[in-house]
Structure formats: C-alpha cells, structure tokens
Amino acid sequence: MKDRFAIFCGKFVYYLGKKFTSCSSLPGKIALNIEKNLLKNIKKENNTIIFITGTNGKTSTTFYSYYTVKDLHNDVVTNLSGANMIQGVLTEILKKIEKKNFSNKLCVFEVDELTIPLLIKNGLIPNYVVITNLFDDQVDRYGSKEILAKTLRENLEKTDAKLIVNFEDPTLRIITDGIKNEVIYFGVQGEEKEVEKDNLIFKYLNYSSVGFFKAKDDEDFVDLKSYTLRECEDGKHCEVLSKEKTFKFEIKNREKFDIIYNRYNYVASFSLFMTLIRDGIVKCENPEEKISNAISLEVGNGRMENFKFLGKSTKLNLVKNKVGLELSLTEYAKETEKFDLVLALGNTPADGKDLNWIAEVDFKNFVENSLVDTIFITGNAFELVKEKLAKYLENNCLCKKFIFVSKDEFKEKLSKKTMFLAGFSELNDMRSFLENKNK
C-alpha cells in the first residue's frame, strides 16, 4: 500500500509540475521520501538497463546514444534532462510504471558516478555501463579519482554488466584490469608524438592524461580497443575502425567534431550501439547513418550551446573541474576577434564544495594564446574563487585581466563579444540570461 501511494504521489507531482518546470527529479524525491525502498520494491522484468557515467561527457554520450536507439525499440526510457541522481532516474521510471511494474523497456540513463552503487543496491542492475573518463572532480564528495574508480569496480563486479570503457584513460584501468565482466574498449586516434607524463609513455596524448599509453617498463604498446575513431585524410569524413570492418561517416558538424572530447563521446556512443546490435537488443542495417545523424544533432543544455549576444555569436559551456575548464578555454582561444569571458561558479553540493582546483587551471596559457580581453568571475562563489586565485594571479601578473563581480553587476559591464562558462548551479541562470538577450 505504501509503495502504491508513493508511486501515485510521484506521478501526480510530475503531471502537475510539468506545466511549470521540467520536473525532472522532484517526483522521484517525493516518492522516495514516502517509501525509501521504492526503487527496490518496483517489479522490474525484461528490461535492458544502460548506465552512462564518467566525469565529463556523460550528458552528450547519453544524448547521442538515445537518438541512435529511440526508433529501434518499442519503449525507450531516458533522462535527457541530466537529472542523474537516484531521484532523477526514479522520476523517469515513475513516468512509465504501470501498477508497480516496470517491464520491457530499453533504458538509457545518464548516472552520476556515485549513484551507480546506490542504484545497484536498490535493484536497478545495469546490463551495460559506458564509462567516458574519470578525473578529479568534487573531491569533497568523491575523494580522488582513484578512490572513485575502486568504488565503481567493487560495485560493477557484483553485476554481469558489459563495460564499454575509454581505453585511453589510465584511471579506468583500475576498474577494468582483471575484472570478470566483459569489457569493450574504445578510443580516438591522435597525432603520433611520444610523450612522457605521470610515469607513463604515450604514443599520442589527446588531452590531459588521455591517450594511447603504456607503462615505462612495458616493451610495446598493446592495443585492445574494439572501436577506434580517426579522421580521414579528406577532412570531410571520419572512420571507426573495428576488428570486423571499417565504418565511414560524413562529418556533418565540423566545429563540434574538432573538439577532442566530442570525438570520445561519439565513439563511446557508437561502441554502445554496435554492442547492442551484436547482442540482438536492437537491429539496424545501416549503423553508420544512424550514428551520423545522431551526432549531428545539437545537445544544447549548456554543452557548447550556441547563442547570440550583443549581435555576436557566442557559446555557453558547462564546466565542473580543471580538465573540463581547460578544454573549454582551449576551444575559446580559437576565437578570431577580441572577446571578454564570463565564468560563473557556485559551490553548492551539486558543484562540489571544494573549489581548490580553480587555482590549478592554466589561465596564463589561455591569456597568452587567445584574444581574450577581460575575464569576469561571477556566480554565487565569486568571492571564494577570488580568494583561491589571489596568489596565482599575483604570481603570474594577471590581476588586471580579472574582474570579480556579483551576478547582479556583471551584466552591466559587458559591451563586446563575450564567451560564457558556468558551473552546474549557475548554468540555468546563465542560459536564461542569454535566452532573454535573444528575445
């Protein structure tokens, strides 16, 4: 009786609330407040459950993966809203549940890294898990990336899930080396240039510590990738190399393709898709066309999202950690006219309370290799960020480049082409600001 009441209340809140907001997690939260074991108690039969996780790229990979399968199965469930905690996943299940039964679904869920153990504990057992990468992020919550990798391994070993994993992220080997689960590896072929970093030797290093690597005492590079993305010489196509055949795609969005982490998202989605085809979960005679169409779509939702501001084209991108912010700065450094940069950060639990990582970001390299004029630091944590950056800015003679300002004030200071970055808790406000400017 309690389960049914919790389901009723969750559904009611969703159907009432969706008129006003996306209502992406509140229904699940209310249902769990009524019955904390609701997800465990729901009857789940004949479902294919896919978890997509990782520090960066899980939202985009979920988006592309959903759009490759949505027309190939009778009932596909996903959380494209990005509500990736247990209450967000449960909300999507509540929308589809019938008389306490959740059956015969293909579920493509973006899942927060530390939510995977909680979902498994509550009986939502994945059949497939895609892991894009692991970097230090929200260390107050996760601990180090190595601790997080060990936690994920301990929980994934309890399942028979097939793991689709970035072969070129060294941290992920903590999860995959010697694990009993089937592992399907993917990667992105880079420009060969041997680099030594973090006690590893890289045949190519695509970004941060992600590339084709070996330990110093290994004789040879060993390639275990099932799927490798590479660009074709004509610059108009790319290929995914597999053990069986080579798949060729037209590059429909050159700007997005040139962003290296997008390439990893593309090949992660393709690797999952081909594994689902292999296992008979979906059928598709032309997977190249299906994935090519999916990755040409705009993810939006603050993922290199395009806007107009003061008559100029601009972008808004979500940043959560050092690696993500430096990659965003690298992309913005390609701008060919002078611009200002707005970086809005918070320090809510969703962002991570620990903002020490901001002082490790290479702002000096960005300033020296771009046409950026002024960098505005705003958001609810702007004063804390100012404190964290004080020594770095002084040591690198960057104080005059940075202005720290409240959210109420920065909008009046913008007068030229401006690029935008925002943390998780600041993203919606920044999107609303840019959308209103376009009206």
Side-chain angles (χ1 to χ4, degrees), residues 18 25 47 114 122 161 165 178 204 226 271 349 359 384 392 403 408:
K18 71 177 182 178
S25 61
N47 298 303
L114 273 188
N122 280 274
V165 177
Y204 54 78
S226 295
S271 302
L384 180 58
Y392 175 88
I403 294 178
D408 294 331

Side-chain angles (χ1 to χ4, degrees), residues 97-146:
I97 202 168
E98 297 177 5
K99 295 181 180 179
K100 204 179 166 183
N101 288 329
F102 183 76
S103 304
N104 302 310
K105 308 288 192 290
L106 174 56
C107 301
V108 185
F109 288 136
E110 173 188 339
V111 182
D112 167 79
E113 298 92 299
L114 273 188
T115 298
I116 286 182
L118 189 56
L119 291 176
I120 292 172
K121 181 180 177 182
N122 280 274
L124 192 67
I125 310 299
N127 303 101
Y128 302 87
V129 177
V130 180
I131 311 177
T132 57
N133 48 62
L134 286 180
F135 301 116
D136 285 328
D137 179 37
Q138 299 188 41
V139 293
D140 54 314
R141 179 167 167 254
Y142 295 138
S144 69
K145 60 187 178 182
E146 291 82 10

Side-chain angles (χ1 to χ4, degrees), residues 2-36 38-39 42 79 81 83 85-97:
K2 198 174 180 182
D3 289 343
R4 292 187 183 280
F5 182 63
I7 292 169
F8 170 79
C9 289
K11 281 179 166 285
F12 179 77
V13 169
Y14 171 70
Y15 287 111
L16 183 67
K18 71 177 182 178
K19 298 177 182 179
F20 309 101
T21 70
S22 62
C23 216
S24 57
S25 61
L26 184 60
K29 182 178 180 180
I30 287 175
L32 287 171
N33 284 342
I34 296 170
E35 173 49 73
K36 66 179 181 179
L38 179 62
L39 185 55
I42 290 171
N79 55 340
S81 66
M85 311 287 271
I86 188 170
Q87 57 266 32
V89 172
L90 180 57
T91 294
E92 299 303 329
I93 290 174
L94 289 173
K95 293 180 192 178
K96 295 281 189 172
I97 202 168

Side-chain angles (χ1 to χ4, degrees), residues 207-428:
Y207 73 95
S208 186
S209 58
V210 178
F212 188 19
F213 67 92
K214 69 172 184 174
K216 283 185 176 181
D217 54 356
D218 289 343
E219 288 188 14
D220 300 308
F221 290 93
V222 178
D223 192 349
L224 298 178
K225 296 189 291 291
S226 295
Y227 300 98
T228 303
L229 177 69
R230 72 177 183 187
E231 183 176 356
C232 296
E233 291 184 0
D234 64 7
K236 297 179 181 179
H237 297 84
C238 64
E239 296 174 331
V240 175
L241 312 178
S242 77
K243 296 174 183 176
E244 291 79 24
K245 62 177 290 187
T246 297
F247 301 88
K248 193 170 186 177
F249 309 88
E250 180 186 356
I251 299 173
K252 296 183 178 180
N253 190 327
R254 182 78 231 184
E255 182 183 23
K256 293 292 178 70
F257 184 82
D258 283 342
I259 301 174
I260 184 61
Y261 57 79
N262 276 341
R263 298 190 187 192
Y264 280 96
N265 298 337
Y266 298 157
V267 72
S269 307
F270 183 78
S271 302
L272 171 63
F273 188 44
M274 293 306 298
T275 304
L276 294 176
I277 293 172
R278 181 201 71 178
D279 293 349
I281 306 300
V282 297
K283 295 180 180 179
C284 182
E285 294 182 358
N286 191 349
E288 295 101 321
E289 181 179 1
K290 204 68 173 159
I291 195 74
S292 181
N293 289 335
I295 65 177
S296 69
L297 300 173
E298 292 287 338
V299 177
N301 202 23
R303 273 65 178 183
M304 284 295 175
E305 191 170 4
N306 293 305
F307 292 93
K308 285 284 186 181
F309 181 72
L310 300 179
K312 301 279 189 177
S313 61
T314 187
K315 287 185 174 62
L316 169 64
N317 199 39
L318 173 70
V319 293
K320 305 183 297 176
N321 50 59
K322 174 182 181 289
V323 172
L325 178 50
E326 288 186 339
L327 283 169
S328 297
L329 295 177
T330 298
E331 292 308 312
Y332 287 1
K334 297 175 182 177
E335 293 296 317
T336 57
E337 63 178 293
K338 284 189 175 183
F339 64 95
D340 289 338
L341 174 71
V342 172
L343 171 59
L345 294 175
N347 66 329
T348 68
D351 299 292
K353 292 280 188 179
D354 187 341
L355 280 173
N356 288 321
W357 60 269
I358 194 69
E360 299 174 8
V361 175
D362 193 354
F363 287 107
K364 183 180 180 181
N365 180 63
F366 173 61
V367 169
E368 291 177 347
N369 293 283
S370 74
L371 296 176
V372 68
D373 190 0
T374 302
I375 300 174
F376 293 95
I377 305 292
T378 187
N380 287 330
F382 83 94
E383 290 179 329
L384 180 58
V385 175
K386 182 178 182 179
E387 177 187 320
K388 301 290 185 185
L389 280 178
K391 188 174 181 180
Y392 175 88
L393 298 182
E394 183 178 353
N395 290 344
N396 290 282
C397 302
L398 292 175
C399 295
K400 292 182 179 180
K401 276 283 185 182
F402 283 70
I403 294 178
F404 297 85
V405 62
S406 72
K407 289 196 288 187
D408 294 331
E409 296 176 291
F410 90 89
K411 299 170 186 177
E412 307 302 322
K413 296 181 178 294
L414 304 179
S415 59
K416 63 160 72 78
K417 179 179 178 68
T418 306
M419 307 300 289
F420 296 85
L421 297 168
F424 190 84
S425 66
E426 300 291 338
L427 187 64
N428 286 337

